Amino acid sequence: ILCRPVAEAAAAWQPLEGFAYDAKRYVTRVLCLKDHLAVFGRQDGFTKMWVLAMGEQGHVVEKCTEVAFEAFPCTVQCSVNKLFDTHTVRVGYQSLVDPESV
C-alpha cells in the first residue's frame, strides 16, 4: 500500500510504514476511515481482514491487527460503510458452520 500527503507532489508516493509488502499477501480492498484503514485480502490462500491504526502523521501504522473470526476457514468481505469518522466497520462473513451474515 502506498501513501503520500495531499500537499505533496504526485512523485512523493511512499510505502505505508508498518504494513510492509509480503509476497504471500494479496490486498483486494482498502477502506479508508478517519483514524484507521480496514484492509481486506488473502494470505496463505485464505481471506483475511487487517485493521491498521494510523498515527498522527498519517503514513505510519501505529498498530496492525489481523481480525480473528470464530470459525476457520471463513470468507470475509467489506460491506457498506458510509461513515468516515467511525470506529465500526461492517463486514460480510460466512464459514462452513456459519451462514452468511453482516
Side-chain angles (χ1 to χ4, degrees), residues 10 16 24 33 37 52 59 70-72 76 85 88 92-93 100:
L16 180 65
K24 295 180 181 180
L33 303 171
L37 295 178
L52 312 180
H59 66 279
E70 277 187 37
F72 185 81
V76 61
D85 189 2
T88 303
Y93 164 82
E100 185 173 357

Side-chain angles (χ1 to χ4, degrees), residues 41-60:
R42 299 183 74 83
Q43 186 169 6
D44 298 323
F46 299 102
T47 58
K48 303 277 185 173
M49 177 184 173
W50 300 270
V51 176
L52 312 180
M54 302 305 294
E56 291 182 18
Q57 298 174 347
H59 66 279
V60 177

Side-chain angles (χ1 to χ4, degrees), residues 69 75-81 88-94 99-102:
F69 295 91
T75 301
V76 61
Q77 66 272 349
C78 187
S79 188
V80 176
N81 292 277
T88 303
V89 176
R90 290 174 50 95
V91 298
Y93 164 82
Q94 71 181 29
E100 185 173 357
S101 61
V102 176

